Amino acid sequence: MNPLRRLREDRARARELNDPYAELCALATVDSRRNPQVRTLVLRDLDGRLAVFVNASSPKWPSMDRVAAALFLASLDIQYRLECRTEPVPGETVQASWQLRPETPKRLDWLYEKRPQSSVLASREQLLAELAAAPVPDPPVAPDSARGLYLVPEEIERLDLSHDGGIHDRRRWTLAEGEWREQVLVP
């Protein structure tokens, strides 16, 4: 079985069960000091591919050529781990997707032009004041720093915790020469 198809099917089932984690992933990178960094991002289904949206002002941006992603679908007791290379989402697709964002995140994207992500502020009140004053062009367009990345898995692990008797089903698929090769693993 194609593990990407299986992942799509599992996420669809989790959505039907109103799983709050069905749209999220924990994305891991390694920073310039070689320290692991993990953050939760929305995992998009974009043109039949997995994608995340980020801002190029973020400290994580330079390290996002290779990433690891973890998904836990609590409603199904299933975990996925993906090792991925990334490819840029075309600018026109980023612009179109950005139009679907709520107003506050759009304003935050424009604030990043003045205050890069993770920069230090004196207080939350300062953040809220600067956010309220952040200009959003009319008509609204995404800033140049808005980016999208397709996640291109090269290895996928699926751990199904729901088996009777406590013996989990753990499998790994590795992409080799355009074909997925499956292995059953000791959980």
Side-chain angles (χ1 to χ4, degrees), residues 54-72:
V54 296
N55 193 283
S57 74
S58 170
K60 68 182 167 282
W61 176 249
S63 64
M64 294 192 72
D65 57 327
R66 290 202 58 82
V67 299
L71 295 79
F72 181 63

Side-chain angles (χ1 to χ4, degrees), residues 31-96:
D31 70 15
S32 62
R33 297 173 300 168
R34 301 191 44 83
N35 292 319
Q37 301 292 323
V38 179
R39 78 265 316 143
T40 302
L41 294 176
V42 175
L43 182 62
R44 310 281 182 183
D45 294 311
L46 193 60
D47 303 323
R49 300 175 73 182
L50 300 173
V52 294
F53 289 101
V54 296
N55 193 283
S57 74
S58 170
K60 68 182 167 282
W61 176 249
S63 64
M64 294 192 72
D65 57 327
R66 290 202 58 82
V67 299
L71 295 79
F72 181 63
L73 305 172
S75 61
L76 305 176
D77 272 345
I78 293 174
Q79 171 188 277
Y80 279 90
R81 295 188 313 169
L82 293 75
E83 291 183 20
C84 307
R85 63 183 171 81
T86 63
E87 294 177 358
V89 172
E92 58 274 7
T93 304
V94 171
Q95 285 289 335

